[in-house]
Amino acid sequence: MGKQKQQVISRFFAPKPKINDSSTPPTAPPSSSSPISSPKISATVSFSPAKRKLLSSHLTSSPKRPKLSPHTQNPIPTPSVHQKFLEKLLEPSPGIPQPSSTQSSIPKKYTPLEQQVLDLKNKYPDVLLMIEVGYKYRFFGEDAEIAARVLRIYAHMDHNFMTASVPTFRLNVHVRRLVSAGYKVGVVKQTETAAIKAHGDNKTGPFCRGLSALYTKATMEAAQDVGGREEGCGGESNYLCCVVDKSVLLENADRGFDTRIGFIGVEISTGDVVYSEFDDVFLRSGLEAVVLSLSPAELLLGDPLSKQTEKLLLTYAGHYSNVRVERASRDCFNDGGALAEVMSLYENMAEAKAEDSEKEVGWTEHGNNHLDIEGIMNMPDLAMQALALTIRHLKQFRLEKILCLGASFRTFSSNMEMNLSANTLQQLEVLRNNSNGLESGSLLHVMNYTLTVSGSRLLRHWVTHPLCDRNMISARLDAVSEIAESVGSYRASQNVGSIDEENSDVAIVQPDFYSLLSTVLTNLGRSPDIQRGITRIFHRTATASEFISVIQAILHAGKQFQQLHAEDEHNNKKVRAKTVRSVLLKKLIFTVSSSSVVGNAVKLLSTLNKEAAERGDLANLIVIHNDQFQGVASSRKAVQLAKEKLDSLICLYRKQLKMHNLEFMSVSGNTHLIELPADVRVPVNWVKVNSTKKTTRYHPPEVLTALDQLSLANEELMVISRAAWDNFLRGFEKYYAEFQAVVQALAALDCLHSLACLSKNKNYVRPVFVDDSEPVQIHISSGHHPVLETILQDSFVPNDTHLHADGEHCQIVTGPNMGGKSCYIRQVGLIAMMAQVGSFVPASSVKLHVLDGIYTRMGASDSIQQGRSTFLEELSEASDILHKCTARSLVIMDELGRGTSTHDGEAIAYATLHHLLEDKRCMVLFVTHYPKIADIKTEFPGSVGTYHVSYLTSEKNTDAMDSKFCDENVTYLYKLVPGVSERSFGFKVAQLAQVSYVCWLYYFFLFSVVSGVWSCIFMIFSMY
């Protein structure tokens, strides 16, 4: 016999009733002999693979249109076969009467946990909540749908809600994935443990839960539990930028400005606060420069906001940018409300510091706080409103006190730094290349030899904000030069086998300095991000192991640099230790190696148990001395007494059972068990835990009581230890400014080391800056493009540039397409930029004046999302340059006027260049294909020079006469020579682009008609 089929009584598997059709005869009535069956339906099914396949195809035969989630407006995942089975199984039978309307109106009955979920969602409606339930974090309702889609996990129906869950030990991974998808994620934790709950008033109710942390992209690295790891977005800056604006008066509108913008950018994980207030034009070019420079991860829009400002910001935070946008009303900040909001924060922080000073430290250690308040009170009005909105926004994350540190405030642009426009950053490919938008192939990528994450962030700021002060530039160049010399001496010393000790007059330039600096920076690069680590300690979100690793890294660096200003005894001769000459290096090294920093680091580390920190043992973390942390000491004593009382019970049971060798034992996590032979009689109140064939294990009632007391003592110790750790981190606030200065000094040393490595590896030269009283000038001999030369190596053709305010200060550059015009003007701008960053430059010699700005107008692009055509973009960039450039600026324009007709474009280009020469008198590099532009040289004799990139032509058909215009090879020489180019050789570009041969011939025909070269027409006819 075959296998008996399983009998299943289910309405789901019953065949559906057939509908009478004209084509099919009606079924015969049942015979009278057959018994009358009950209304229930029975069916016999076999769960064979074939049946399962048939069932699956039946369930999925009529797909429905996917539903959209009301919260995310995304399609809800299609229910599985199992879900369809449950829906079909639970739907009411046609024969069963439906419940009345009064029954359906009965409200749902929620479980205690579900009621907690409802209360939390009503309190935090815009937050995706992860709720701790046991060993899992669960999502409920629409949050479960979102989590299922983003995290690729399973969501199912449980009681009244859809639910999904992830394990607790994967919290960091899943929070980061949700935050990267643009959500604000909240983690709800249990605020009581099982032991405390059993001895409290909430014995029968659910665990108390509360929101413990909020996470967004801008607050992730500073937050608790998931921050401090360079996973995904660790190394990059994650600024939170708040933007507000208002319309300007009519007198400012005459200068092209129609709005005034205030913004503040906060990098919460590093403590960097940037603010500014400025007038901007209709196309918001100034705001665009701010956004591109800071690259914020989160935007806070202060409503009401002008339509043009909002359009630009929402375009930046497009679908593929993954930038989160949040809005906040600033109506309450009118009539001084913003200042009141800021001052209330400072007053609250001052009161908290005063309370702490009474317990631990004196108020004098915070005596510079009034200077911070004075600096913030002098902020412009719109910047103050942006600051107030940011404070209110950060309060929900409990991270607002980072804004109380006035030392971390800085303006976005100052007289000491050059403010590069968004066009300059994009068109010179300073931060990213224009091909695929990646950092590789950019100026920053070429210059970045940093070894630490904080150094890399600081170098980005240096590159985007070149210096405008000659003394500061010279200080950086001196430091880079000294490190570069030390690199050479260090390499030379490695090639020398030994040095005659008697020859004490031999002077070697500090070979140990580079080795020491490189060792310190390499060790810091292997350590966690100390800049973010210091700020996380300040926010009290750092773990104990993270605290120890960060402070140890700073302590190690300080002790290493202390060797540079020490004295040593060697061979009975007092030898002066290796010192540095650069004033900037001396200042940075002294900041890192000061005795105060080293002493405070040793003091902080002496309070913690390193082994306990590595184990995550919070109960034994604090080292108690000098009568500190008495609460922890008493709790530890209570735990110890509870353990001793529990262990002492074994003596009682030895006497009671008359077993002198009886000992407590532990099995499968159950401790303090008494194991006895199975035939031994025990008191009735002993609790049997488990047994084997020959033995039985018990928990006497006294042991259970003692275990309960020990568990409660351990829970109380953990609560007190956690509070003590929090107080310890709170006490770090008085050291924060000092350690933050050390971190910034180490980052600056890393940047200087990077620039020195760049100069030695690339054989760059030191630029020379003329005095500020001399005329503006740029002299470059054998200049190279810093990015292209790394690709072309020795094949790159260098060029010279000579511009002088009292002589030729404008170059009109012409030449064939793809001849190297754009490369030449870009390399001039990049060399000037690198020089003012404080870097050596790719040339044989460079002499220039300090510039106050570098402005570019290159390429062709539109912005459809912002309603800008290609020509509007072109003229907007030109207009912005004309408004901002001065006599100390470098202006680079490439093919202005290409976006319109020939005559219009030529007239616009001529008029723009005329204005730059007559009114602005700045340094100008002007690339054009309009030959008539060169005629402006007659209006400004001696001030304008005409140049072109050279080339060679060779005829293919030497027998044909006058065929040089249509049948020739062109060799680009990429060398800039005086004169105007006669032709642009556009047909060669058409050949490279593989334009259709018919179009190519037609081009020759039209070109011949216009230019009068009739030999091309005869050649075309001869081809046919």
Side-chain angles (χ1 to χ4, degrees):
M1 289 180 62
K3 185 178 179 181
Q4 185 178 2
K5 295 184 179 181
Q6 181 181 3
Q7 298 292 329
V8 178
I9 300 176
S10 173
R11 180 182 46 77
F12 177 79
F13 295 105
K16 294 184 177 180
K18 295 182 180 180
I19 302 174
N20 292 334
D21 193 7
S22 59
S23 60
T24 58
T27 58
S31 61
S32 59
S33 61
S34 61
I36 301 174
S37 60
S38 61
K40 67 178 182 180
I41 303 171
S42 68
T44 303
V45 297
S46 173
F47 287 92
S48 64
K51 288 288 184 179
R52 288 198 204 100
K53 183 176 180 182
L54 181 62
L55 177 62
S56 176
S57 62
H58 171 71
L59 289 173
T60 57
S61 59
S62 58
K64 297 182 180 180
R65 185 177 180 182
K67 293 175 60 179
L68 296 180
S69 169
H71 180 65
T72 61
Q73 295 302 315
N74 291 320
I76 299 175
T78 305
S80 63
V81 175
H82 178 66
Q83 287 176 299
K84 290 185 177 182
F85 169 77
L86 291 177
E87 292 174 2
K88 190 72 177 177
L89 183 63
L90 296 176
E91 74 179 9
S93 176
I96 300 175
Q98 298 295 324
S100 62
S101 59
T102 58
Q103 293 176 334
S104 61
S105 62
I106 297 176
K108 292 182 179 179
K109 186 176 181 180
Y110 296 105
T111 65
L113 175 61
E114 290 177 336
Q115 191 60 50
Q116 277 189 343
V117 172
L118 287 175
D119 296 339
L120 288 168
K121 287 302 294 183
N122 291 334
K123 190 174 181 181
Y124 308 103
D126 61 335
V127 179
L128 193 152
L129 294 179
M130 302 177 68
I131 300 174
E132 184 182 19
V133 182
Y135 296 101
K136 293 182 179 181
Y137 283 103
R138 294 181 62 182
F139 305 88
F140 293 91
E142 294 177 359
D143 294 347
E145 299 174 17
I146 297 172
R149 186 181 69 255
V150 177
L151 304 179
R152 307 285 183 178
I153 60 177
Y154 178 69
H156 60 92
M157 197 71 184
D158 184 17
H159 291 87
N160 297 306
F161 292 113
M162 290 287 290
T163 184
S165 62
V166 295
T168 54
F169 62 88
R170 297 279 289 174
L171 174 68
N172 169 63
V173 176
H174 295 300
V175 167
R176 285 183 174 273
R177 290 174 64 184
L178 290 169
V179 168
S180 298
Y183 294 98
K184 180 194 285 188
V185 180
V187 174
V188 177
K189 290 187 176 181
Q190 296 173 179
T191 57
E192 58 182 357
T193 62
I196 295 177
K197 181 175 181 291
H199 292 81
D201 299 332
N202 188 30
K203 293 181 180 180
T204 58
F207 281 94
C208 294
R209 295 179 174 88
L211 187 69
S212 65
L214 274 176
Y215 304 102
T216 59
K217 292 193 71 176
T219 62
M220 171 70 70
E221 296 303 326
Q224 196 171 8
D225 295 331
V226 301
R229 302 172 176 88
E230 281 70 50
E231 300 173 7
C233 55
E236 299 181 356
S237 295
N238 294 310
Y239 278 94
L240 165 68
C241 280
C242 179
V243 181
V244 298
D245 69 353
K246 70 175 182 179
S247 300
V248 299
L249 300 177
L250 294 177
E251 54 265 22
N252 291 330
D254 296 337
R255 295 183 293 161
F257 303 121
D258 70 338
T259 190
R260 188 162 184 81
I261 293 177
F263 87 93
I264 186 165
V266 183
E267 225 299 8
I268 301 156
S269 63
T270 63
D272 187 27
V273 183
V274 188
Y275 71 93
S276 183
E277 183 172 325
F278 53 89
D279 293 328
D280 209 352
V281 296
F282 175 75
L283 295 177
R284 305 296 187 266
S285 57
L287 180 59
E288 186 178 8
V290 172
V291 170
L292 288 180
S293 178
L294 296 180
S295 298
E298 205 169 336
L299 292 173
L300 182 61
L301 309 185
D303 289 333
L305 204 63
S306 66
K307 185 176 181 181
Q308 195 65 20
T309 302
E310 184 175 351
K311 181 184 288 186
L312 183 136
L313 294 174
L314 294 181
T315 301
Y316 170 77
H319 179 69
Y320 297 102
S321 68
N322 217 10
V323 175
R324 187 174 180 275
V325 179
E326 191 163 331
R327 299 177 181 273
S329 174
R330 57 189 173 105
D331 293 336
C332 58
F333 294 143
N334 297 328
D335 302 327
L339 181 59
E341 178 81 15
V342 175
M343 292 307 299
S344 66
L345 174 65
Y346 275 81
E347 290 173 0
N348 294 336
M349 295 301 297
E351 292 175 0
K353 287 180 179 179
E355 293 177 1
D356 293 339
S357 66
E358 295 176 359
K359 300 176 182 179
E360 298 178 2
V361 297
W363 174 254
T364 54
E365 297 189 26
H366 306 282
N368 62 340
N369 198 49
H370 68 281
L371 299 177
D372 305 340
I373 298 177
E374 289 181 1
I376 292 194
M377 288 182 65
N378 294 328
M379 288 176 62
D381 179 58
L382 288 179
M384 180 70 72
Q385 292 187 29
L387 177 60
L389 284 174
T390 306
I391 289 173
R392 181 169 292 185
H393 177 75
L394 291 180
K395 280 183 178 180
Q396 60 183 319
F397 301 92
R398 296 190 285 272
L399 299 173
E400 72 279 3
K401 69 175 183 178
I402 192 65
L403 298 172
C404 295
L405 300 178
S408 62
F409 278 73
R410 62 180 176 87
T411 57
F412 178 75
S413 59
S414 65
N415 296 330
M416 299 297 180
E417 293 179 343
M418 184 188 301
N419 189 16
L420 298 177
S421 66
N423 293 327
T424 303
L425 295 174
Q426 287 180 332
Q427 294 165 1
L428 295 185
E429 298 178 300
V430 176
L431 300 176
R432 302 183 184 276
N433 68 68
N434 292 334
S435 300
N436 52 18
L438 299 179
E439 186 177 308
S440 60
S442 65
L443 176 65
L444 178 61
H445 182 260
V446 171
M447 298 178 66
N448 192 356
Y449 283 82
T450 55
L451 300 175
T452 65
V453 181
S454 56
S456 178
R457 281 193 294 265
L458 182 61
L459 183 64
R460 177 188 175 96
H461 175 75
W462 281 15
V463 171
T464 56
H465 293 80
L467 297 174
C468 293
D469 184 85
R470 183 171 174 270
N471 295 328
M472 296 175 66
I473 297 172
S474 299
R476 279 190 192 174
L477 289 172
D478 290 342
V480 172
S481 179
E482 185 167 350
I483 297 175
E485 290 175 9
S486 181
V487 173
S489 301
Y490 174 72
R491 292 176 179 174
S493 66
Q494 289 180 321
N495 297 327
V496 178
S498 62
I499 298 177
D500 187 4
E501 295 181 358
E502 296 180 358
N503 188 9
S504 59
D505 296 332
V506 176
I508 299 178
V509 184
Q510 309 162 27
D512 292 341
F513 175 61
Y514 172 75
S515 174
L516 178 64
L517 179 61
S518 178
T519 301
V520 170
L521 294 176
T522 302
N523 291 333
L524 288 175
R526 295 169 181 168
S527 302
D529 187 349
I530 60 174
Q531 188 176 23
R532 283 180 170 166
I534 287 293
T535 309
R536 282 174 52 78
I537 295 171
F538 173 79
H539 288 305
R540 307 199 304 277
T541 58
T543 61
S545 60
E546 184 181 2
F547 182 95
I548 291 177
S549 61
V550 169
I551 301 300
Q552 275 187 339
I554 294 175
L555 176 61
H556 176 74
K559 288 184 175 180
Q560 289 288 319
F561 280 118
Q562 279 183 342
Q563 301 176 20
L564 295 176
H565 46 82
E567 290 186 347
D568 190 17
E569 294 287 341
H570 181 66
N571 293 333
N572 296 326
K573 294 181 181 180
K574 200 170 189 178
V575 183
R576 208 176 101 188
K578 312 300 184 295
T579 59
V580 294
R581 303 184 304 272
S582 166
V583 177
L584 179 58
L585 285 178
K586 288 181 180 179
K587 180 180 177 181
L588 295 175
I589 291 173
F590 178 77
T591 302
V592 174
S593 61
S594 68
S595 58
S596 174
V597 171
V598 174
N600 289 332
V602 172
K603 177 182 175 182
L604 289 170
L605 291 175
S606 65
T607 312
L608 302 179
N609 186 336
K610 184 178 179 181
E611 289 75 16
E614 291 176 352
R615 298 193 308 267
D617 184 6
L618 197 59
N620 297 311
L621 176 64
I622 304 294
V623 177
I624 300 173
H625 52 77
N626 297 331
D627 296 331
Q628 292 182 339
F629 304 106
Q630 290 302 309
V632 177
S634 59
S635 296
R636 288 179 182 173
K637 188 175 181 180
V639 171
Q640 185 63 29
L641 291 175
K643 287 181 179 178
E644 293 176 357
K645 179 180 178 181
L646 184 60
D647 294 336
S648 65
L649 292 175
I650 192 65
C651 298
L652 173 65
Y653 303 126
R654 286 172 181 170
K655 293 180 181 179
Q656 182 177 353
L657 299 173
K658 297 180 181 181
M659 295 180 179
H660 300 291
N661 296 327
L662 187 65
E663 296 289 345
F664 284 129
M665 66 178 304
S666 299
V667 176
S668 301
N670 293 318
T671 64
H672 295 83
L673 294 170
I674 293 181
E675 186 178 66
L676 299 173
D679 57 349
V680 176
R681 288 184 141 190
V682 297
V684 181
N685 57 355
W686 284 31
V687 178
K688 179 181 176 181
V689 178
N690 52 47
S691 63
T692 63
K693 186 175 181 180
K694 296 182 179 181
T695 62
T696 305
R697 304 181 185 103
Y698 300 94
H699 263 159
E702 297 85 1
V703 171
L704 290 176
T705 303
L707 283 174
D708 196 21
Q709 292 175 353
L710 177 60
S711 177
L712 181 61
N714 280 321
E715 294 291 347
E716 291 177 349
L717 175 60
M718 287 300 299
V719 171
I720 294 176
S721 297
R722 193 173 291 110
W725 169 244
D726 190 70
N727 290 333
F728 176 78
L729 293 178
R730 192 188 303 274
F732 179 79
E733 290 182 9
K734 59 179 176 288
Y735 306 115
Y736 174 73
E738 184 179 34
F739 279 95
Q740 185 75 346
V742 172
V743 171
Q744 292 172 354
L746 288 170
L749 286 171
D750 193 13
C751 290
L752 295 173
H753 176 268
S754 174
L755 297 179
C757 293
L758 174 68
S759 66
K760 296 300 292 186
N761 293 341
K762 304 282 188 178
N763 293 322
Y764 287 177
V765 299
R766 174 172 178 163
V768 177
F769 284 88
V770 301
D771 193 79
D772 293 340
S773 60
E774 295 189 29
V776 180
Q777 54 192 281
I778 299 176
H779 299 286
I780 302 173
S781 298
S782 300
H784 295 71
H785 193 289
V787 179
L788 286 183
E789 75 163 350
T790 60
I791 301 173
L792 300 177
Q793 301 294 332
D794 296 334
S795 303
F796 190 86
V797 179
N799 277 298
D800 300 339
T801 304
H802 298 284
L803 299 172
H804 199 284
D806 293 342
E808 182 181 296
H809 61 90
C810 173
Q811 289 184 354
I812 298 177
V813 183
T814 58
N817 290 293
M818 299 181 64
K821 303 184 298 297
S822 297
C823 176
Y824 165 70
I825 59 177
R826 278 190 172 99
Q827 84 181 27
V828 175
L830 291 175
I831 288 174
M833 188 184 302
M834 291 175 67
Q836 294 192 207
V837 167
S839 169
F840 286 24
V841 293
S844 60
S845 66
V846 174
K847 181 181 179 181
L848 71 162
H849 193 282
V850 176
L851 303 174
D852 65 357
I854 299 175
Y855 301 97
T856 63
R857 213 280 3 122
M858 308 176 70
S861 62
D862 58 14
S863 182
I864 298 177
Q865 291 180 337
Q866 300 182 49
R868 305 182 192 176
S869 67
T870 302
F871 192 51
L872 177 59
E873 284 280 333
E874 190 176 333
L875 292 187
S876 298
E877 294 171 7
S879 173
D880 188 56
I881 292 174
L882 295 180
H883 279 101
K884 294 180 179 178
C885 69
T886 66
R888 294 176 53 202
S889 302
L890 172 63
V891 175
I892 299 174
M893 289 197 172
D894 189 2
E895 299 185 31
L896 180 64
R898 72 162 82 188
T900 185
S901 65
T902 302
H903 298 295
D904 288 349
E906 189 174 10
I908 290 172
Y910 192 99
T912 302
L913 181 58
H914 189 279
H915 179 75
L916 290 172
L917 293 173
E918 184 173 11
D919 297 335
K920 297 296 184 179
R921 295 193 56 80
C922 53
M923 305 289 105
V924 181
L925 297 175
F926 200 92
V927 174
T928 184
H929 283 287
Y930 298 134
K932 291 185 179 180
I933 299 295
D935 296 342
I936 203 172
K937 183 177 180 179
T938 59
E939 294 189 45
F940 300 93
S943 299
V944 180
T946 55
Y947 298 86
H948 71 279
V949 285
S950 57
Y951 56 89
L952 293 176
T953 58
S954 59
E955 297 182 10
K956 294 180 182 178
N957 185 6
T958 56
D959 297 333
M961 297 179 62
D962 298 329
S963 63
K964 62 181 180 179
F965 288 103
C966 52
D967 195 16
E968 58 192 355
N969 281 327
V970 180
T971 303
Y972 300 128
L973 302 180
Y974 304 108
K975 196 71 176 178
L976 194 71
V977 296
V980 180
S981 177
E982 298 179 357
R983 300 174 56 206
S984 295
F985 296 99
F987 69 94
K988 288 298 177 184
V989 180
Q991 281 184 318
L992 290 175
Q994 298 181 348
V995 175
S996 171
Y997 188 67
V998 176
C999 295
W1000 194 66
L1001 291 178
Y1002 191 60
Y1003 156 77
F1004 274 119
F1005 174 77
L1006 296 178
F1007 174 77
S1008 303
V1009 172
V1010 175
S1011 61
V1013 184
W1014 300 102
S1015 58
C1016 289
I1017 297 180
F1018 298 146
M1019 183 189 71
I1020 294 172
F1021 281 118
S1022 65
M1023 290 181 180
Y1024 285 96

